[in-house]
Amino acid sequence: VELADSEEDYEESNEFTNEINSIDDDEDGDEGEEEDEEEDDDDEDGEEGETQANGSSIIHATPRLASLSDPERILKVREIGNDAVWVLSTAKPGNGVTQIRDSSIDTYWQSDGGQPHLINIHFLKRKSVCEIAFYLDYTQDESYTPKKISIRTGITFHDLEEIKQVELNEPVGWVSIPLHAEPDPLDDDEDENDADMDNESESQNRRRKPVRTFLLQVCVVSMHQNGRDTHVRQVKIFGPRSETEFTMRRAPVVSGKS
């Protein structure tokens, strides 16, 4: 290290040192930004980690079901379970269809036979279905609580196809499973409408059409703790409201003058 011979040399030396420090600070800043980007990537990977390698999704239970409690959501969907015929694969006496449709979380369906356990929901005509929800309670039902559920649709039992598979981890509350049909690449009208949209997320939502089906089958593939039979406390199935229903529900009520 050479010593400065004069004040001018000393000042020049300081300027040179400051330049080096500023370069180091910039590099440190770049490294910090890179670390932040890596952390963001890790966060995104974590969110994507909700989908398992086998293609099934992890669904978490919530204490309230939006489709039954949120006013805005209620304007868009309605419960259509009463439009269907419900058939269970097996059931203990007094623990059947009535118990999963009575809107009470204190009652439940209990299967009584070999796996898998099935809930078959038959519609007399093709229906649009956008959501199916279950009320489950691991704290009370333990090994009877479903662990893996498969949702299948079709016209008859012979052409059923799985459209959704979910895994649950000790759920207590409502488990909501959204149901969407695959987008049709030949739907030109939808593509033209999407092209006019500024927000890509809105465009994607427009592409998510509800499933249209005659038969919806719920298959309880496995239970917690390798249980044999299952308990399901409530099942609700929802379809989108028609434009007429939506408009009528949003329209303000105007009282006439006496």
Side-chain angles (χ1 to χ4, degrees):
V1 178
E2 294 183 359
L3 299 176
D5 294 333
S6 63
E7 291 182 1
E8 293 179 356
D9 293 339
Y10 179 76
E11 291 176 357
E12 291 177 358
S13 175
N14 280 343
E15 291 176 359
F16 178 73
T17 303
N18 291 336
E19 290 178 359
I20 293 176
N21 290 337
S22 64
I23 293 173
D24 291 340
D25 291 340
D26 292 339
E27 291 178 351
D28 292 340
D30 293 339
E31 291 177 357
E33 291 177 359
E34 291 177 358
E35 290 177 357
D36 292 339
E37 291 176 358
E38 290 178 357
E39 290 178 357
D40 292 340
D41 292 340
D42 291 341
D43 292 339
E44 292 177 0
D45 293 341
E47 292 176 359
E48 293 175 358
E50 293 296 309
T51 301
Q52 299 294 301
N54 59 8
S56 62
S57 302
I58 298 178
I59 303 292
H60 302 286
T62 57
R64 300 178 67 184
L65 182 62
S67 296
L68 293 178
S69 60
D70 181 11
E72 286 297 320
R73 178 67 176 168
I74 293 173
L75 288 174
K76 299 176 182 178
V77 301
R78 69 182 184 91
E79 215 281 333
I80 58 175
N82 291 335
D83 298 339
V85 176
W86 296 63
V87 179
L88 304 174
S89 54
T90 60
K92 286 273 191 183
N95 296 94
V97 172
T98 301
Q99 283 64 43
I100 60 174
R101 295 291 300 159
D102 62 4
S103 298
S104 171
I105 60 174
D106 296 323
T107 59
Y108 52 84
W109 162 49
Q110 180 173 329
S111 62
D112 186 21
Q115 301 176 21
H117 307 303
L118 306 173
I119 304 174
N120 296 304
I121 307 168
H122 303 258
F123 294 102
L124 298 180
K125 61 181 181 179
R126 182 174 290 182
K127 281 283 189 178
S128 294
V129 182
C130 60
E131 176 189 7
I132 187 167
F134 309 90
Y135 191 91
L136 308 172
D137 192 342
Y138 178 80
T139 57
Q140 296 192 64
D141 300 327
E142 298 182 343
S143 64
Y144 287 90
T145 309
K147 175 70 174 176
K148 182 181 292 186
I149 296 176
S150 170
I151 308 296
R152 304 158 183 176
T153 62
I155 298 176
T156 67
F157 290 105
H158 304 291
D159 65 354
L160 287 172
E161 293 184 1
E162 182 179 81
I163 60 171
K164 195 87 170 182
Q165 185 179 104
V166 299
E167 291 192 16
L168 309 170
N169 183 24
E170 301 181 2
V172 178
W174 286 101
V175 174
S176 173
I177 304 175
L179 303 177
H180 301 292
E182 291 295 325
D184 186 355
L186 300 179
D187 195 344
D188 295 333
D189 293 337
E190 186 179 59
D191 291 339
E192 290 175 3
N193 292 332
D194 291 341
D196 295 333
M197 289 185 174
D198 295 329
N199 193 326
E200 291 185 3
S201 63
E202 290 183 6
S203 174
Q204 291 176 358
N205 288 336
R206 284 287 296 274
R207 287 175 175 272
R208 290 184 174 182
K209 292 183 176 181
V211 172
R212 288 184 57 79
T213 187
F214 283 98
L215 173 61
L216 186 74
Q217 184 182 82
V218 178
C219 176
V220 181
V221 181
S222 63
M223 274 62 65
H224 284 71
Q225 304 175 15
N226 295 320
R228 177 186 174 188
D229 282 309
T230 191
H231 282 183
V232 176
R233 293 181 172 265
Q234 286 295 297
V235 181
K236 300 292 183 182
I237 185 168
F238 298 92
R241 291 189 183 275
S242 65
E243 290 295 331
T244 303
E245 287 180 301
F246 181 77
T247 302
M248 291 179 63
R249 282 183 164 263
R250 287 195 68 92
V253 177
V254 180
S255 59
K257 294 182 179 180
S258 56

